[in-house]
Amino acid sequence: MRITEVSDLAAPHALRRAVFIEEQGYSEADEWDDQDAAARHLVAFEGDRPIGTARIFVTGTEGRIGRVCVLQAARGTGLGAALICEGMARLRAAGCTRVVLGAQVRAMGFYERLGFAACGPEYDDGGVPHRELARPL
């Protein structure tokens, strides 16, 4: 498995469509936004097959990780944690000292095991409860 930054959005979009739209039921309007153009996109590959993705943003000394998803067949392998760790390493290299993300409430335990802590109230994103989480880098 390898994680690389990509400029072609075909793989990240295909992964997000499979996980967020087809599997989790998000609408097209909720999934696609104008932030993809400003983001850096990470894709995890098993051989030549994309199996996970995340996008990262840098705003001064704060980084953001978002749209993290892993194909169902690759879950439980440590790939999600590897994507988050790679994102944090890239944000740290870009001068960030803190990273934030919006997590589905049902996935908060995953992020807490990686050192994130809730820093905001619960909110609705596409009909799914979320919370803002953060951690220092």
Side-chain angles (χ1 to χ4, degrees), residues 12-125:
H13 281 183
L15 289 161
R16 287 166 45 192
R17 174 174 296 285
V19 173
F20 295 129
I21 296 172
E22 294 170 11
E23 180 185 332
Q24 295 182 3
Y26 281 85
S27 71
E28 297 266 345
D30 285 332
E31 179 52 32
W32 309 123
D33 60 28
D34 60 357
Q35 296 183 44
D36 275 339
R40 295 167 57 189
H41 298 268
L42 305 178
V43 175
F45 290 91
E46 187 173 68
D48 290 336
R49 183 174 166 245
I51 56 173
T53 191
R55 68 182 186 184
I56 60 175
F57 301 90
V58 175
T59 306
T61 59
E62 184 171 274
R64 175 169 284 276
I65 300 175
R67 297 301 203 268
V68 179
C69 67
V70 173
L71 291 179
Q72 195 167 25
R75 291 184 198 145
T77 64
L79 176 57
L83 278 165
I84 297 299
C85 290
E86 181 67 23
M88 289 191 301
R90 289 172 185 258
L91 291 169
R92 192 178 301 110
C96 295
T97 58
R98 179 175 188 257
V99 60
V100 295
L101 54 83
Q104 294 179 2
V105 168
R106 66 179 175 231
M108 283 180 59
F110 166 77
Y111 293 105
E112 289 167 343
R113 287 189 294 279
L114 294 171
F116 287 85
C119 62
E122 191 172 299
Y123 62 94
D124 178 86
D125 183 357

